[in-house]
Amino acid sequence: MAAGTLIASSMFAAHAFDLQGHRGARGLLPENTLAGFDRTLDIGVTTLELDIAITADGVPVIHHDAHLNPALTRDAQGRWLQGRGPLIRSLTLAQLQTYDVGRLDPGSAYARDFPDQQGRDGERVPTLAALFERVKARGADQVRFAIETKIHPDRPDESPAVAPFVDAVLAAIRTAGMTQRVRLISFDWRTLRRVRELEPAIETTCITVENAQRTNARHRVMMLGMARDAYPSVAHMAKAAGCAAWSPNYQSLDAERVRAASALGLQVLPWTVNETADMEQLIAWGVDGIITDYPDRLRAALLRAGRSVPAVGAK
Ligand code: MG
């Protein structure tokens, strides 16, 4: 190999690692909030990962659950929700803004999962437009966005259908001028197909989960009609679906699967990796990025591995 090629490829590798903050930095600050995204930019990531729901009045907002989650939601009187809250789809943006999502209920199992998460009382479910504005205001012009469409074909009451869902998200992306800085990501690959049809410049990431309890790879609607058994691996399905990247649950990976998916030309971006030893293993296997609730830990692991890390976000 020519020396120039070596230098070029090693430079690419040095800059390519995609350090993704999951829901911002869920391990540190309330998930999917502007305060959390601010902290994530302070730490320094390549990509902000976030989830999208659509309000009753058609506004894309950043939230993981279709229903407001009682473990992290208080009403206008400051009381924790008792049981599952209303569907975001049933609330206008104005109604949704009356809820506080800035702290975990200390009595919840969820709070025990994230003992280091600090509260930020008063945080609201942000709009996607508001996050774009915040990032622009900080001058964080390099950071990218992995935007997850939360939709499920078996629960059609929980969100708009594929077309209106994707169209609302795409409108927000275009209005903000962010087409070149976003990827759409989803377990439900129908949304990814639609965005590529409407805006081929937007790359997509096919997410999969494979474990003893569940796999989306056998859901024919989510998989665009593809049958799992007709493909050697779920990575082959992601490739056939037209995705640039494949995002598997990290527990389903091994060195050979990373190698095989890379050989298909897919970026491999495992989720959600929170333990340093797992990060180090995946980096050694050659994944292209990692999605983590603790981007601070991942930065440290990358530096120890001699890899470059993204610039800290501008203020
Ligand atoms: Mg997500």
Side-chain angles (χ1 to χ4, degrees):
M1 190 183 293
T5 309
L6 262 177
I7 291 166
S9 58
S10 64
M11 282 177 64
F12 178 77
H15 290 281
F17 197 92
D18 191 356
L19 198 173
Q20 295 206 12
H22 184 237
R23 310 186 197 180
R26 177 170 58 162
L28 306 173
L29 279 188
E31 66 183 65
N32 285 326
T33 62
L34 291 181
F37 292 120
D38 264 333
R39 176 68 175 279
T40 311
L41 294 171
D42 291 340
I43 293 168
V45 297
T46 318
T47 301
L48 300 172
E49 191 273 351
L50 56 107
D51 310 287
I52 295 289
I54 309 289
T55 64
D57 42 349
V59 181
V61 294
I62 303 175
H63 203 63
H64 181 268
D65 305 300
H67 295 260
L68 288 174
N69 181 345
L72 54 80
T73 312
R74 284 167 287 170
D75 65 17
Q77 286 72 46
R79 300 171 300 209
W80 297 106
L81 299 189
Q82 299 298 310
R84 194 169 74 170
L87 274 172
I88 288 179
R89 192 191 181 191
S90 73
L91 302 172
T92 65
L93 178 61
Q95 290 171 327
L96 180 62
Q97 296 302 297
T98 66
Y99 293 91
D100 186 326
V101 293
R103 182 176 294 275
L104 292 173
D105 179 349
S108 67
Y110 202 38
R112 290 193 289 280
D113 288 341
F114 296 99
D116 299 332
Q117 191 192 100
Q118 298 177 343
R120 287 290 185 275
D121 296 327
E123 285 295 310
R124 309 292 156 167
V125 173
T127 64
L128 179 57
L131 176 62
F132 287 146
E133 285 301 314
R134 178 66 63 94
V135 170
K136 285 182 188 176
R138 289 180 56 130
D141 297 331
Q142 301 303 313
V143 78
R144 301 179 61 83
F145 305 85
I147 300 174
E148 182 174 352
T149 52
K150 284 297 189 188
I151 181 170
H152 197 294
D154 299 339
R155 300 193 290 273
D157 58 313
E158 289 190 348
S159 76
V162 170
F165 195 127
V166 171
D167 296 1
V169 174
L170 184 55
I173 293 167
R174 285 173 165 162
T175 297
M178 289 289 188
T179 305
Q180 302 299 321
R181 291 171 60 187
V182 303
R183 271 192 179 162
L184 242 63
I185 74 176
S186 195
F187 290 97
D188 186 340
W189 299 0
R190 297 174 302 164
T191 54
L192 308 181
R193 177 173 60 187
R194 180 168 181 84
V195 80
R196 284 195 308 268
E197 288 169 355
L198 296 173
E199 187 57 76
I202 295 180
E203 291 184 335
T204 58
T205 297
C206 285
I207 310 178
T208 57
V209 55
E210 287 186 296
N211 59 36
Q213 288 76 41
R214 63 193 174 117
T215 175
N216 62 322
R218 294 192 179 277
H219 197 297
R220 291 286 285 267
V221 177
M222 286 179 147
M223 296 293 107
L224 309 176
M226 288 184 282
R228 171 68 186 86
D229 294 337
Y231 293 84
S233 72
V234 290
H236 284 83
M237 297 173 77
K239 183 67 178 177
C243 280
W246 171 48
S247 190
N249 58 310
Y250 77 93
Q251 300 92 339
S252 69
L253 281 181
D254 58 28
E256 170 56 23
R257 287 178 184 164
V258 173
R259 189 206 61 75
S262 300
L264 293 172
L266 290 166
Q267 290 184 5
V268 182
L269 305 172
W271 59 274
T272 298
V273 188
N274 289 341
E275 299 303 327
T276 295
D278 294 322
M279 294 171 180
E280 291 171 344
Q281 173 102 88
L282 290 160
I283 293 166
W285 287 345
V287 299
D288 299 280
I290 289 177
I291 302 166
T292 178
D293 292 316
Y294 298 91
D296 52 342
R297 294 181 190 171
L298 181 52
R299 275 184 77 95
L302 287 165
L303 288 169
R304 281 195 303 276
R307 305 293 297 266
S308 67
V309 293
V312 173
K315 296 297 181 290

